[in-house]
Amino acid sequence: MEENRLKPMDAEQLREYGHKMVDFIADYYKTIENFPVLSQVQPGYLRNLLPDSAPNQPDSFQLVLDDIQAKILPGVTHWQSPNYFAYYPSNSSVAGFLGEMLSAGLNIVGFSWITSPAATELEMIVLDWLAKMLKLPEDFLSAGQGGGVIQGTASEAVLVVLLAARDNVLRRVGKNALEKLVVYASDQTHSSMQKACQIAGIHPENCRLLKANSSTNYALSPELLSETISHDLTIGLIPFFLCATVGTTSSTAVDPLLSLGKIAKSYEMWFHVDAAYAGSACVCPEFRHYMDGVEEADSFNMNAHKWFLTNFDCSALWVKDRCALVQALSTNPEYLKNKASQANMVVDYKDWQVPLGRRFRSLKLWMVLRLYGLENLQCYIRNHIELAKHFENLVVQDPRFEVVTPRIFSLVCFRLLPPNDEDDGNKLNHDLLDAINSTGNVFISHTVLSGKYVLRFAVGAPLTEEKHVNAAWKVLQNKATSILGESFC
C-alpha cells in the first residue's frame, strides 16, 4: 500500500499518471462535440456534488478522473469546441499544450534573470521574433531602449503602461497634479481601461470614453478627440494618455492609429495600442495595414492566447522605453539583490509587471512559433476569416436578418430584424440568443451598438470547420422561425 502512495514528486509516478492525464485530455478533445457548448448547470450545482471538506486520506487518481468526468465537465463551458462562437476565441493547440506542460514541469519562478536566465532570455528573443512577424518598429525590439514582455492579460498590459505614463507626467508637472490627469479612449475600448484608471488613481470623471458611432464604423474620431483635449486644456486639466484599439471587443472597429498618434504626440501624451484580438491577424500581409500608424505608439499589445494557438495566458506587450516601466514598477529589496542585476547587465521582468512571481510562459509561445511556423499560422488565421466571410454571406441571403457593421476580421455582428417598425428588436434578439444558447449545440454572445442589441458570431476555435458554421446557421434560422412565428423564406 505504501508503494502506491502518491509521492510529492517521483519520476516514475509522474510518467504513469502523466500518461493517464494526457489520455484523458486527448479523449476529451475527441468527444468535445458531445458536450453542450455552454454549460447548462444552475448556480451552486457543484456544492451538492462534492463533500463539505477535503479527505483525510488520499483518493485514487482514477476516482478523481471519474469525478472530473461526472461532476466538473458538466460545469465547463467548452471554449475549445468547434461550435464555440462567443466573445473572442481562447486558442489551445498541441504545441501550446506541450509548452504549458513543460513550463509546469520545470515550475520555475522567473522574476529576475538570475532565478532562471533562460526564462528571461527566451522571452526577450521570442517577443523580438513576434514583433518582427508583426513588422513592429525597431524601437520595440530588445536591442534598443524598448522590448517586449509577456503579461497575463491585456488588462495587465494597459495597467502597467498607464502607471508608467502617469509617473512620467507627474515627474514633469509635480506629484500633486494627479487629480488633473486625463485619459482618452473611445466608448468601444475594453472595460479594462476603466479598471486600470481606478487602480492608478485617475479620477473617474477624468476617464474620457468618447462616443463612437456607425458613421465611423465605431472607430474613435480624431476630430472629436482634438476637440475634447482642447476643451480639457482650457479648464486646466492635463491630457496624458490615449488608448486606441485595433479590433474592438464589440465589433472589431479599428481606430485610425496614424491620426490619433500624431494628436497624442503633439500633446506629449502616452499612446497605447490595444490589438489584443486582431493583432494576430496582422501577421498576414493583407491585414497589416490595420496597424499602420503603430510607429507613433509608445506601447503595443496583442494576446497570443486569443487567436494565435498559444494556450492562456500569454499577452504580449511591447514598449519603446522600458525605463518608463521599470521606474514605475521596480522595487529592489535586499533579499533580491544580485551581481547581474546590480550591474545593470540583465533584464529583470519583475520590474515590468505588477506581481513579483512569473511563470515560464515564453516556452509555449516559442513552441508554437517553432512547431507551426509563420506560414501555417497565417493560413490558420486566413481560414477563420474565410469562415466568417461565409457566415456573413449566409446572413445576407436571409432577408429576416441584417449585418450591423462591416466584417473586418473573423467576427460578424448581426441581428434579427423586428417584424414591425415600432419594435426596436432588442427583446427579439435577446430571446433569440437565449434560445440558441439553451440548445447546447452552439454558443454565441451579444453586444449593444447605438442602442441596438446585436448578436456576435466570432470564428476562431482551432477545431471549427465550415460544417460547424453551417450547422450553427441552421440553429439560428430555426430558432428565428420559431420566435417570429412564421418563416419569411
Side-chain angles (χ1 to χ4, degrees), residues 300-435:
F300 177 86
N301 171 233
M302 64 86 78
N303 284 351
H305 61 240
K306 271 193 169 67
W307 196 17
F308 211 62
L309 290 175
T310 308
N311 292 44
F312 187 81
D313 53 351
C314 187
S315 183
L317 169 68
W318 291 269
V319 292
K320 283 183 176 175
D321 178 15
R322 58 176 174 260
C323 288
L325 276 186
V326 172
Q327 283 183 288
L329 299 166
S330 177
T331 57
N332 191 29
E334 185 63 38
Y335 49 80
L336 295 182
K337 290 180 180 179
N338 62 85
K339 188 183 296 183
S341 297
Q342 297 300 106
N344 289 320
M345 298 166 56
V346 295
V347 164
D348 288 334
Y349 275 128
K350 70 180 178 62
D351 300 328
W352 296 42
Q353 61 178 27
V354 174
L356 173 66
R358 61 199 329 270
R359 298 187 301 118
F360 200 167
R361 286 179 291 217
S362 57
L363 273 175
K364 58 191 172 189
L365 182 55
W366 184 54
M367 293 187 78
V368 165
L369 296 181
R370 290 194 63 187
L371 295 177
Y372 296 123
L374 176 57
E375 288 185 7
N376 282 327
L377 290 165
Q378 290 170 332
C379 289
Y380 175 76
I381 296 288
R382 287 173 180 138
N383 177 56
H384 284 151
I385 292 173
E386 285 302 312
L387 290 177
K389 194 181 297 184
H390 172 63
F391 181 81
E392 181 184 38
N393 290 333
L394 293 174
V395 174
V396 169
Q397 290 166 24
D398 190 327
R400 302 176 299 171
F401 291 86
E402 69 169 347
V403 173
V404 178
T405 59
R407 182 202 50 77
I408 301 176
F409 303 107
S410 68
L411 173 71
V412 180
C413 291
F414 68 106
R415 68 197 289 261
L416 182 62
L417 292 167
N420 62 71
D421 294 337
E422 296 174 8
D423 184 358
D424 62 12
N426 286 354
K427 183 179 184 305
L428 181 74
N429 282 277
H430 188 284
D431 291 346
L432 178 58
L433 182 76
D434 284 348

Side-chain angles (χ1 to χ4, degrees), residues 81-98:
S81 169
N83 300 305
Y84 181 98
F85 302 102
Y87 309 117
Y88 278 136
S90 181
N91 280 182
S92 179
S93 69
V94 175
F97 174 79
L98 294 175

Side-chain angles (χ1 to χ4, degrees), residues 187-201:
D187 63 352
Q188 300 300 303
T189 303
H190 193 273
S191 61
S192 59
M193 182 74 258
Q194 286 177 277
K195 182 178 282 191
C197 286
Q198 291 172 236
I199 296 170

Side-chain angles (χ1 to χ4, degrees), residues 457-471:
F457 190 90
V459 181
L463 294 170
T464 299
E465 300 173 13
E466 186 173 316
K467 65 181 181 181
H468 300 107
V469 174
N470 291 337

